[in-house]
Every structure is written in C-alpha cells, then in structure tokens.
Amino acid sequence: MAAGKGAGKPVSLWDNMRIRFIVCFLGVFVCYFYYGILQETITRGDYGQGEKKEKFRFARTLVFIQCIISSLFAKFLIQFFEGSKPDHTKSWLYGLCSLSYLGAMVSSNSALQYVNYPTQVLGKSCKPIPVMILGVTILRKKYPMAKYLCVLLIVSGVALFLYKPNKSSSVADDHVFGFGEILLLVSLTLDGLTGVAQDHMRARFQTSANHMMLNINMWSTLVLGLAVLWTGEVWEFLSFTERHPSIFYNILLFGLTSALGQTFIFMTVVYFGPLTCSIVTTTRKFFTILGSVILFGNVMSTMQWFGTVLVFLGLGLDAKFGKGPKKTTH
C-alpha cells in the first residue's frame, strides 16, 4: 500500500523542509544584503572627479523605478502562480496605503544623504514602536506586557546608539538628532500607518500578498510618476545618468533585489510562519550593519555596538514572546 501510495509522487528536493528553509533564508539574506549595499552605493557614493564630483539627489525617481520593477514582478507572480483568483479589495484603500508606503520609502532613501547606513537600518528596525502606538491609539489593540518590555529594550538601544557625549571639538556631523533622524522618524511613522492599513485589508478582504504588492506599487508608480514629471526631477535624473551611466545598472539591480527579497519573505511566512520570518529578517539586518561597517568603513563606537545589540535583542524577544495569544478572526 505504501509503495502504491508513493509511486505516483516522486520526492523532490523542494519537499525537504530543511532544503526549503535554506533556500528561503539564503534568498532573504542574499537579496537584502545586496540591496543594502546597492542602496548605500547609490545614495552615498561620489560621482565624477575633482570639481565635477557630485552626489545622487533623486530619491523620488529611485523609488519610482523600484515601484515599476516591483509591480511587474508582482504581476508575473500573480499570472503564473495565482491565475484568475479575484481580488475584492477597494481601489481607494490601495491608493491611501500607497501614499504612506511611498512617503516611508522616499524618507528612508533621503535619510541616507544625512546619516550613515547603520543608523538607517537601526532606525528602520524600530518599526514595532509606531506599529504598537498606532495599534493602541487607532485600532484600540491590547498588547501583552512582554511586548512593552521588548519595545523598551529597542528604545533604550536606539537612545544609546544616537547618544554622543559632549566633546571639545565641534564637528558639524556630531549631532544627537538632526534632519536625517527626523526623516527616519517620518519613515517609521508612515511604515506604521502602512502596516495598519495592510492589516485592515487582510482582515476585511483577505488580500493576498502578491495583489497587495502589485496594487500598492501601481498606485505608487502613478503618484510618483506625476510627482517627478511635475518637479522636473526625472529630466535631471536622466541627465545625471548620461554623465554617470554605470548608476543605471545599480538601480535596476536595486529594484530587482527588492522585488525578489519581498517574494522570499512571503515564501518564508507561508512555509514557516511569521515568527521564523521575523528571526530571519532580524538576523539579516544585523549582518547588513556589520557588512556596511566592513565594506564602507562606517565606524561605530562601543556604545553604538551595545545599543545595536540591545535593539536586535529586543526584536528577537519580541518575535518570540511579544505576540500574545492568537485570536481567530474571520
């Protein structure tokens, strides 16, 4: 009987959960590690030489191209893996969600013109803070005590990371909270609003991840397309790429790694659950900071390393203990 049962189904490597986890982990890790390197290379690199040296200042156009690539990638995934599965989510919800999604991405990329990459990654790792605040104030959610303790660890870590003791030398960059950090705060808040809107869509309309990815990115492409045309940024960007054509290759890779990374995250959630996904993404962020320090020479003090460890400890404990009892809602 056993032989007859298994005869029609040859066992593939993909059926091995260990192999599946390794593929998902390496997919998230490699895509987002390379994404981080490309993001820092594009936004913080110097272009040209001598007096003609210039910086990349086109955060909106960068996100515009990223949204186009993500839309095409999501369309491909729906076409080949979901078929004609209907999507009942209201279009205006996607439109509203795209505004906060866009604001978060543009603010995050713009912040890299003022802060180094480790600061940006650490700042973006604090997403549980606005999500919890907005959950309590808007959705009237109740969180377990473990969640508050984890968030306290994250806040303490960030405070230690940003704290700079007074020094006799007045260095312009030696600030505690500047414009770059304000942009990260804006990005975090908008990330929290996006999370609340996506939760509502999943609960109300059972929106799939690929449909969400497609429609939010399509709306974002429309809004940003109008914005870069209205401001003339797209023409300045095209002129910039004529002077430095090598950047276009990096931007295309940046968009592809972002889209692929989102797919691997979705696969991890589907096959292994959100807890495993949180642990994988948290580990990835820590190694991204480490990679940035090694590859780009972003020096961090002992206090900043201690703050970084506190933040990731808080994130790890939040993934494990901060979820509370599950409630079944349909």
Side-chain angles (χ1 to χ4, degrees), residues 184-218:
L184 283 177
L185 194 62
V186 169
S187 177
L188 270 178
T189 307
L190 292 172
D191 259 341
L193 283 170
T194 306
V196 167
Q198 288 174 334
D199 280 347
H200 175 73
M201 282 189 260
R202 283 193 200 99
R204 185 82 186 269
F205 302 102
Q206 288 78 50
T207 314
S208 76
N210 289 332
H211 276 108
M212 203 176 283
M213 184 177 167
L214 171 67
N215 288 284
I216 290 174
N217 279 294
M218 277 177 64

Side-chain angles (χ1 to χ4, degrees), residues 128 132 143 146-148 150-151 154 275 278 312-324:
M132 190 176 80
Y143 295 97
K147 182 86 173 175
Y148 290 99
C150 292
V151 167
I154 295 167
L275 171 59
S278 296
F312 286 105
L313 181 65
L315 287 169
L317 291 172
D318 177 48
K320 182 71 178 169
F321 304 109
K323 305 301 176 188

Side-chain angles (χ1 to χ4, degrees), residues 7-241:
K9 282 188 176 181
V11 178
S12 69
L13 272 176
W14 189 244
D15 291 328
N16 186 322
M17 291 305 281
R18 191 171 291 176
I19 297 289
R20 199 177 283 190
F21 176 75
I22 291 168
V23 170
C24 289
F25 177 81
L26 287 176
V28 171
F29 194 91
V30 171
C31 286
Y32 278 111
F33 188 82
Y34 195 36
Y35 170 87
I37 291 169
L38 287 166
Q39 191 177 34
E40 187 159 13
T41 303
I42 293 163
T43 55
R44 289 181 66 82
D46 291 319
Y47 299 90
Q49 292 178 341
E51 291 180 4
K52 291 186 176 180
K53 192 182 283 187
E54 56 184 326
K55 291 277 188 186
F56 184 86
R57 298 174 290 102
F58 313 101
R60 282 177 299 215
T61 310
L62 181 64
V63 176
F64 174 62
I65 295 167
Q66 191 179 348
C67 289
I68 291 172
I69 294 169
S70 293
S71 298
L72 293 171
F73 201 80
K75 184 70 178 173
F76 168 81
L77 291 173
I78 290 167
Q79 197 74 33
F80 287 92
F81 297 104
E82 292 192 22
S84 56
K85 185 182 173 185
D87 178 32
H88 302 292
T89 314
K90 306 289 182 189
S91 292
W92 63 267
L93 261 177
Y94 283 130
L96 278 178
C97 192
S98 71
L99 293 176
S100 57
Y101 170 77
L102 263 184
M105 289 217 295
V106 172
S107 302
S108 178
N109 284 329
S110 300
L112 279 170
Q113 293 172 26
Y114 305 94
V115 298
N116 61 24
Y117 194 70
T119 306
Q120 195 246 30
V121 173
L122 198 82
K124 292 290 282 181
S125 298
C126 301
K127 194 175 176 180
I129 299 170
V131 169
M132 190 176 80
I133 292 168
L134 291 165
V136 170
T137 54
I138 296 175
L139 299 179
R140 305 292 179 193
K141 280 188 175 181
K142 289 185 178 179
Y143 295 97
M145 183 54 69
K147 182 86 173 175
Y148 290 99
L149 292 173
C150 292
V151 167
L152 184 63
L153 262 181
I154 295 167
V155 171
S156 305
V158 171
L160 281 174
F161 187 91
L162 292 177
Y163 174 71
K164 293 180 178 72
N166 292 325
K167 296 178 183 175
S168 54
S169 60
S170 56
V171 183
D173 190 45
D174 201 25
H175 59 271
V176 174
F177 206 87
F179 189 59
E181 284 83 357
I182 290 169
L183 283 172
L184 283 177
L185 194 62
V186 169
S187 177
L188 270 178
T189 307
L190 292 172
D191 259 341
L193 283 170
T194 306
V196 167
Q198 288 174 334
D199 280 347
H200 175 73
M201 282 189 260
R202 283 193 200 99
R204 185 82 186 269
F205 302 102
Q206 288 78 50
T207 314
S208 76
N210 289 332
H211 276 108
M212 203 176 283
M213 184 177 167
L214 171 67
N215 288 284
I216 290 174
N217 279 294
M218 277 177 64
W219 273 94
S220 300
T221 301
L222 176 66
V223 173
L224 266 184
L226 292 171
V228 294
L229 282 169
W230 179 263
T231 58
E233 186 182 299
V234 68
W235 312 120
E236 290 176 40
F237 168 76
L238 289 172
S239 175
F240 185 88
T241 55

Side-chain angles (χ1 to χ4, degrees), residues 275-297:
L275 171 59
T276 304
C277 187
S278 296
I279 293 166
V280 168
T281 53
T282 302
T283 309
R284 187 277 304 174
K285 283 175 184 172
F286 186 82
F287 280 99
T288 302
I289 288 180
L290 198 62
S292 179
V293 169
I294 295 165
L295 294 171
F296 294 94

